């Protein structure tokens, strides 16, 4: 990839009679995005809406600029037909939507786990404690082993700054 970019920039700057620049590339989302998967626990199901235990406090991208995600049921298999569902967060805000009209099994129920792939680039860095909800942990998984990288934010963490 770096070689292709370098050759293309060299060709174009040479064609335009410009000096060849020194390139610095920060691949960010291109590399890190696909590496992250967010897990949500289903807390309620009502008609086409599935409410989960996270939302705009741990991933504000859908609310801020309409980022779109696919979502999959994980932790169990389902033979139920797929139905378009809207997965919503816990914050009771109109914009607290994780994903709209995603095909999910019709038998999803509270306690199920939903996986949201490709959240690695911005999920943890953009998380906040909106509505005094603690930020989630960050766990690395490799070869069946886990390593806690960032611990879950606790109520004590949230109250630590209060003066009275």
């Amino acid at each position: 990839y770096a070689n292709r970019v370098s050759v293309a920039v060299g060709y174009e700057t040479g064609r335009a009679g410009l000096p060849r620049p020194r390139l610095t590339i920060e691949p960010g989302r291109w590399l890190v995005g696909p590496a992250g998967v967010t897990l949500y626990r289903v807390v309620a199901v009502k008609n086409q809406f599935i409410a989960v235990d996270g939302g705009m406090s741990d991933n504000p991208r859908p609310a801020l600029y309409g980022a779109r995600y696919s979502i999959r049921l994980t932790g169990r298999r389902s033979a139920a037909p797929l139905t378009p569902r809207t997965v919503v967060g816990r914050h009771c805000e109109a914009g607290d939507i994780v994903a709209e009209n995603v095909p999910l099994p019709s038998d999803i129920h509270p306690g199920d786990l939903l996986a949201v792939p490709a959240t690695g680039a911005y999920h943890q860095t953009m998380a906040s404690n909106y509505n005094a909800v603690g930020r989630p942990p960050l766990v690395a998984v490799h070869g069946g082993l886990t390593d806690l990288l960032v611990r879950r934010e606790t109520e004590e963490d949230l109250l630590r700054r209060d003066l009275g």
Side-chain angles (χ1 to χ4, degrees):
Y1 175 76
N3 185 54
R4 291 180 81 185
V5 171
S6 181
V7 168
V9 168
Y11 173 79
E12 292 297 333
T13 54
R15 229 179 72 178
L18 298 170
R20 184 184 181 109
R22 179 174 179 260
L23 296 178
T24 303
I25 298 175
E26 190 282 307
R29 181 167 167 50
W30 184 66
L31 290 177
V32 181
V37 176
T38 299
L39 295 178
Y40 291 114
R41 186 164 310 278
V42 173
V43 294
V45 177
K46 185 174 182 182
N47 301 322
Q48 79 271 18
F49 295 100
I50 298 172
V52 296
D53 63 349
M56 63 191 286
S57 61
D58 59 80
N59 187 357
R61 295 182 69 236
L64 289 175
Y65 46 85
R68 298 183 55 85
Y69 290 101
S70 61
I71 297 181
R72 295 175 180 88
L73 174 66
T74 191
R76 73 171 177 93
R77 295 190 186 275
S78 173
L82 299 180
T83 282
R85 299 291 194 66
T86 296
V87 178
V88 298
R90 66 187 293 174
H91 297 289
C92 296
E93 301 281 358
D96 192 11
I97 296 172
V98 178
E100 289 184 272
N101 297 314
V102 292
L104 289 167
S106 59
D107 67 346
I108 285 183
H109 53 77
D112 278 341
L113 290 177
L114 300 180
V116 183
T119 57
Y122 303 115
H123 192 162
Q124 184 69 27
T125 58
M126 292 180 77
S128 70
N129 50 32
Y130 181 80
N131 275 359
V133 171
R135 287 175 272 229
L138 178 64
V139 179
V141 179
H142 181 70
L145 301 174
T146 62
D147 191 20
L148 182 64
L149 302 177
V150 178
R151 69 172 172 79
R152 179 181 307 278
E153 194 169 35
T154 66
E155 186 176 320
E156 181 179 297
D157 293 328
L158 296 174
L159 297 174
R160 185 172 286 128
R161 295 178 48 218
D162 288 355
L163 299 176

